[in-house]
Amino acid sequence: MVLYNVTVGIDIDVEEEWLNWMREHHIPAVMNTGMFIEHKIFKVLSQEEEQSVSYSIQYFAENIDKVVEYLNSYAPPLVEAHRARYKDRHVAFRTLLEEVQ
């Protein structure tokens, strides 16, 4: 199992609208690619900055090949849509993790 984690810091004044957009549009679009078998959303509890809040959006894939295919074939327009919509209102970084048995 491979975890593709996207951590997003979003401005507090657009937090609810962003979260709704993620749940209704962005995450379904990512899941509809067929590259991931499950997703979860976590709110980061330790906040150092009061103007933003952070979330971890976790996508689970069966193997690394699925994530690579997602990144190469599907991610660019989805990332661009998010960037265009929240351009100066967010920061994001991505982490790829492999489950250890």
Side-chain angles (χ1 to χ4, degrees):
M1 178 83 57
V2 175
L3 167 59
Y4 175 59
N5 182 76
V6 182
T7 302
V8 178
I10 190 78
D11 288 359
I12 284 180
D13 60 338
V14 294
E15 176 186 6
E16 286 304 314
E17 189 273 331
W18 173 84
L19 194 54
N20 289 333
W21 183 79
M22 290 294 289
R23 287 179 175 146
E24 295 172 11
H25 300 283
H26 188 80
I27 292 172
V30 172
M31 296 305 293
N32 284 338
T33 66
M35 299 296 105
F36 301 102
I37 57 175
E38 183 183 2
H39 78 278
K40 294 183 181 191
I41 304 172
F42 288 89
K43 186 172 185 176
V44 177
L45 297 179
S46 59
Q47 299 290 266
E48 296 176 15
E49 211 175 302
E50 293 181 18
Q51 290 113 350
S52 68
V53 60
S54 295
Y55 286 85
S56 169
I57 298 88
Q58 301 179 347
Y59 301 100
F60 298 88
E62 293 175 351
N63 56 56
I64 190 75
D65 294 336
K66 295 281 188 181
V67 178
V68 170
E69 184 176 349
Y70 168 77
L71 292 172
N72 291 334
S73 301
Y74 301 100
L78 294 170
V79 170
E80 178 55 27
H82 184 273
R83 189 207 61 75
R85 188 174 180 100
Y86 299 101
K87 50 187 156 193
D88 296 328
R89 312 304 302 261
H90 83 288
V91 295
F93 67 90
R94 291 146 182 87
T95 310
L96 192 56
L97 300 100
E98 183 177 42
E99 183 178 24
V100 178
Q101 299 285 332

